[in-house]
Amino acid sequence: MRVKGIAVLGSTGSIGCNTLRVVEALGEPFRIVALAARRNVAKLAEQIARHRPLLVSVENERCAEELKEHLRAIGTAVAPQILIGEQGLIEVATHERASCVVAATVGAVGLVPTLRALEAGKRVALANKETLVMAGELVTRTAQNSAAELLPIDSEHNALHQCLRGEERADVRRLILTASGGPFRTCDREAMERATVEEAMRHPTWNMGAKVTIDSATLMNKGLEVIEAHWLFGFDADQIDVLIHPESVVHSMIELIDGSVIAQMGITDMRHAIQYALTYPQRLACALPRLDLVRVGTLHFERPDVERFPCLALAYRALRAGGTMPAVMNAANEEAVNAFLEGHLKLTEIARIVARVMEQHAVREASSLDAILAADAWARRRAAEEMRASGCGAVAPV
Ligand code: MG
């Protein structure tokens, strides 16, 4: 069988590590050929010793030197080529031996390498939702032009991809994204204002990285996913609904014009979605625990409360405004989440900062990378200024 080379952008993060476990479990013909990480060189060194990639990339020269020291200390016989920075990420994303690129970096840094991978005709298994939020038009057009496949790893979109298989687009009335509701689902506004980083990091059902966990606590994550669904599947804001579903058993649903609803269910383990994206259209056996519906017993669904979770409404507003507005919302949110994680901002102020930046933005077309990156940079500056103006003195100047 032909080797299926896998490149991973963000290999030491949550999705990255899970991808390596999936590839190891699948065995031949799947094989890791290139890995990109930022600064976690100790973990990257372990991954190199185990998976023997041909190429790796880290954030900068210092990380590269540290990585070499770690590899010497491990005494590994293999020595991959080591690159740095954005060019390194791009080389990993376009490696000639990779047929599939798992894009699992956090935030805006994954955009350009993902575009390059699509231009090179690679299948992109996309975990980085910010890429589609910022540049959905550009990314989907690039994929179409080079006939490259874009497969979602985000669990909701992976579920929708599965539900939509074999259905005519015109037969689908709406998409229904489920959301766990996060750790503050049942909290009042006052409790949310006092929320600490530790409380916000306590996600009830999924174990994920810091940025997406905070976004889940504000429901911005679901807002970003509404925009992601729009670009992946071509449905308008009016055709994408969100339901709170605390058990996280139904990963998402579609409603058809005849009233039928199709749901995709599973355990909360990202390895299912990752494996699906790597092996599609094939289904391969998987040794993970099975979903036990008898043990789950009851499933609950409720409408999201946009009064307490205004980020969800902001995302719908950004999607309807179109152009550069989603990129602006995403960038302002990223800055505000970082400030919250560093203890400079209250959780409930994230939405206020994002809303302020969006109000001041004059929407432009988002069909070029330059326009998107300019909007992104503008929004980050404005968010920092807003945070300084509202007394978040410790926020570093951009
Ligand atoms: Mg998700």
Side-chain angles (χ1 to χ4, degrees):
M1 218 188 306
R2 241 181 90 221
V3 172
K4 294 197 172 166
I6 314 283
V8 185
L9 308 177
S11 72
T12 56
S14 172
I15 295 286
C17 290
N18 274 317
T19 300
L20 298 194
R21 291 163 78 191
V22 168
V23 170
E24 195 164 338
L26 285 172
E28 292 293 323
F30 296 89
R31 185 177 185 251
I32 295 293
V33 293
L35 298 174
R38 283 180 67 197
R39 284 182 289 235
N40 193 348
V41 290
K43 190 174 259 179
L44 182 60
E46 285 170 27
Q47 295 179 337
I48 291 168
R50 207 171 173 95
H51 293 274
R52 303 170 167 252
L54 306 165
L55 168 70
V56 299
S57 175
V58 287
E59 191 171 68
N60 53 38
E61 201 58 63
R62 211 190 65 211
C63 293
E65 287 309 315
E66 283 173 22
L67 176 63
K68 285 177 197 160
E69 274 170 40
H70 277 277
L71 289 173
R72 269 195 296 273
I74 295 177
T76 170
V78 283
Q81 187 187 2
I82 301 174
L83 299 176
I84 60 166
E86 187 175 49
Q87 192 52 38
L89 271 173
I90 291 170
E91 296 289 335
V92 169
T94 55
H95 195 278
E96 58 172 3
R97 302 276 288 275
S99 58
C100 176
V101 177
V102 176
T105 51
V106 176
V109 61
L111 174 57
V112 173
T114 300
L115 286 170
R116 296 288 172 272
L118 290 169
E119 281 165 8
K122 316 267 187 214
R123 169 180 296 186
V124 170
L126 189 68
N128 179 321
K129 64 195 79 186
E130 289 88 349
T131 294
L132 278 175
V133 172
M134 284 177 77
E137 186 189 336
L138 188 58
V139 170
T140 49
R141 196 177 60 217
T142 305
Q144 265 164 17
N145 288 347
S146 56
E149 289 173 300
L150 197 55
L151 270 117
I153 286 185
D154 204 350
S155 63
E156 295 78 1
H157 306 76
N158 191 269
L160 291 171
H161 192 275
Q162 299 192 44
C163 293
L164 288 164
R165 274 176 92 164
E167 298 296 344
E168 291 292 331
R169 170 68 177 74
D171 292 344
V172 182
R173 186 166 173 271
R174 61 179 179 133
L175 309 179
I176 306 163
L177 290 164
T178 55
S180 72
F184 306 116
R185 180 175 62 89
T186 56
C187 291
D188 58 22
R189 181 87 197 166
E190 286 72 52
M192 287 175 69
E193 284 201 8
R194 291 192 308 269
T196 63
V197 171
E198 205 193 359
E199 285 165 346
M201 283 299 292
R202 228 175 273 145
H203 194 275
T205 50
W206 289 95
N207 183 9
M208 308 174 289
K211 163 74 167 47
V212 61
T213 304
I214 301 306
D215 282 344
S216 297
T218 63
L219 284 200
M220 179 56 96
N221 182 54
K222 212 48 55 179
L224 297 173
E225 288 181 355
V226 168
I227 300 172
E228 186 185 7
H230 163 75
W231 288 113
L232 280 170
F233 306 115
F235 289 80
D236 294 335
D238 301 329
Q239 292 176 289
I240 308 171
D241 287 337
V242 171
L243 266 189
I244 303 294
H245 167 45
E247 291 87 2
S248 298
V249 167
V250 174
H251 293 160
S252 277
M253 300 175 260
I254 63 170
E255 185 188 298
L256 298 160
I257 51 171
D258 62 4
S260 245
V261 174
I262 302 178
Q264 192 271 340
M265 295 188 268
I267 60 168
T268 51
D269 192 311
M270 288 308 296
R271 285 175 288 177
H272 276 298
I274 294 167
Q275 174 167 323
Y276 177 87
L278 297 186
T279 68
Y280 175 84
Q282 253 191 312
R283 295 254 185 202
L284 295 178
C286 176
L288 288 176
R290 304 273 140 181
L291 174 63
D292 184 346
L293 281 174
V294 174
R295 248 182 78 188
V296 174
T298 316
L299 300 179
H300 295 87
F301 299 93
E302 47 193 72
R303 233 176 281 287
D305 179 353
V306 286
E307 300 283 310
R308 277 187 308 132
F309 298 98
C311 284
L312 185 58
L314 289 176
Y316 273 100
R317 203 189 298 167
L319 177 56
R320 290 193 169 101
T324 45
M325 191 60 98
V328 161
M329 180 194 76
N330 176 62
N333 179 61
E334 219 170 283
E335 293 301 314
V337 168
N338 282 338
F340 170 72
L341 283 169
E342 285 162 16
H344 305 318
L345 197 69
K346 285 183 189 170
L347 184 79
T348 46
E349 287 194 290
I350 294 173
R352 192 179 59 75
I353 297 294
V354 174
R356 284 287 298 146
V357 174
M358 284 172 66
E359 279 160 20
Q360 294 164 56
H361 181 58
V363 177
R364 304 226 163 81
E365 272 188 44
S367 47
S368 78
L369 189 57
D370 286 348
I372 293 159
L373 295 179
D376 177 275
W378 174 87
R380 285 173 201 276
R381 272 197 313 275
R382 283 300 315 145
E385 284 161 13
E386 284 295 333
M387 288 190 277
R388 269 200 303 277
S390 50
C392 311
V395 175
V398 181

